[in-house]
Amino acid sequence: MSERKYKNIVILTGAGISAESGLATFRSANGLWNNHKVEDVASIEGFQRNPALVHDFYNDLKKEIQKAKPNAAHLAITKLQNNYPANISVITQNVDTLHEKAGNSNIYHIHGQINQAVCLNCGHILETFGDVDTETTCPQCNVQGMMKPNIVFFGENLLCMDKVEDLLRKCDLFISIGTSGVVFPAAAFVQTAKYYGADTIEFTLEPTANNFYFDRHIFGPAGKTFPPYVEELLSSVHNKKEAD
Ligand code: APR
């Protein structure tokens, strides 16, 4: 990785960045998808088949997430955003609110947010950490029983993709933290960034499915590995200032 002074940095995060905050990832040994069938709780067919089961799953997950605190990796993103002179965006696959709790800015939740529900009748977004279920009435159109967790299910379009495409084309540094790189289209974001000339680096526990597109791989818990990298970026800018 060069001592390049970056202008547009994109940080893609996955469940791994929240692991040290006590939240389960999806595909590890005791991951969420080992204890729940994806097709039952994360597909549009599953929601149509049994909406009460899906609401229960996300209401339980919401309680877990509400208790979680951001860790050193989330806080290091805030430090980078506050001290490195570049546009720095966070594209997250996570539905938790730890980036917000850590004070990150420019956050794009492409898979939705646990503290939101969407009305399938009028499109209203209800922000709540309270339970949502098949009895919930939409506060905008007053129709009951049409609320769905604002989570992007397999088979649905991602959110914020127009902005994401623009960010990926413009970025000169693409950082991936805590994602296995197996779920598309997020898994191909690094390929787009690389194609448009970005330096690319990933922080995970072990080699990922799309590691071919990363210039650098830093293995280990992101709470330990990412803050020193932020210091490396900040000192490179500081040294550059002194040299200029
Ligand atoms: N620090 C850094 N990386 C970690 C840590 C940690 N403490 N703990 C786990 N990881 C890494 C793992 O090595 C793995 O590469 O995080 C990744 C977690 O992978 P997944 O469980 O597959 O989670 P994610 O990549 O976010 O899943 C993507 O799949 O089911 C869908 O919508 C869901 O957004 C999710 C998407």
Side-chain angles (χ1 to χ4, degrees):
M1 197 74 92
S2 64
E3 284 298 302
R4 198 169 156 185
K5 187 165 173 301
Y6 299 107
K7 295 189 181 62
N8 295 289
I9 300 175
V10 165
I11 303 174
L12 171 68
T13 64
I17 196 172
S18 300
E20 290 156 87
S21 297
L23 297 181
T25 59
F26 291 94
R27 293 170 183 83
S28 57
N30 57 351
L32 280 174
W33 295 155
N34 288 36
N35 305 316
H36 300 273
K37 285 204 184 133
V38 178
E39 55 275 19
D40 288 345
V41 295
S43 76
I44 198 67
E45 298 79 10
F47 183 66
Q48 282 171 322
R49 195 169 47 243
N50 189 343
L53 177 101
V54 175
H55 278 303
D56 287 349
F57 175 75
Y58 289 103
N59 287 335
D60 291 347
L61 192 58
K62 208 181 280 193
K63 294 181 180 69
E64 278 305 299
I65 283 174
Q66 208 168 4
K67 288 184 287 191
K69 296 210 178 341
N71 61 60
H74 297 101
L75 297 171
I77 293 175
T78 302
K79 182 168 185 179
L80 188 66
Q81 288 183 316
N82 291 344
N83 296 285
Y84 190 96
N87 302 313
I88 303 176
S89 302
V90 179
I91 298 173
T92 186
Q93 300 173 90
N94 299 339
V95 296
D96 65 50
T97 51
L98 294 178
H99 286 296
E100 288 81 359
K101 283 184 185 173
N104 297 176
S105 51
N106 307 331
I107 305 164
Y108 298 91
H109 283 271
I110 54 172
H111 289 172
Q113 284 178 249
I114 195 78
N115 58 317
Q116 291 181 349
V118 57
C119 175
L120 298 175
N121 179 57
C122 72
H124 177 67
I125 300 283
L126 172 63
E127 302 257 353
T128 177
F129 266 103
D131 284 358
V132 173
D133 56 33
T134 52
E135 305 297 310
T136 304
T137 299
C138 171
Q140 174 156 289
C141 69
N142 289 318
V143 168
Q144 188 182 32
M146 290 295 280
M147 299 307 285
K148 167 188 167 294
N150 194 25
I151 304 282
V152 176
F153 290 152
F154 284 101
E156 289 190 302
N157 282 330
L158 266 58
L159 307 176
C160 332
M161 280 308 284
D162 44 349
K163 181 64 182 167
V164 165
E165 291 292 338
D166 182 49
L167 290 171
L168 293 174
R169 270 197 293 278
K170 287 184 184 143
C171 84
D172 45 17
L173 176 60
F174 181 88
I175 303 169
S176 174
I177 307 176
T179 182
S180 56
V182 298
V183 175
F184 288 81
F189 288 177
V190 60
Q191 196 180 337
T192 305
K194 193 80 204 137
Y195 176 78
Y196 282 97
D199 288 343
T200 55
I201 182 168
E202 68 170 343
F203 293 81
T204 65
L205 294 185
E206 72 272 321
T208 54
N210 55 357
N211 64 0
F212 171 80
Y213 293 103
F214 287 101
D215 305 313
R216 264 177 85 181
H217 314 269
I218 313 277
F219 298 124
K224 300 236 174 337
T225 59
F226 186 61
Y229 174 69
V230 166
E231 294 310 322
E232 188 185 304
L233 284 175
L234 293 177
S235 56
S236 73
V237 163
H238 176 68
N239 298 342
K240 204 154 176 50
K241 252 190 215 147
E242 282 192 340
D244 290 353

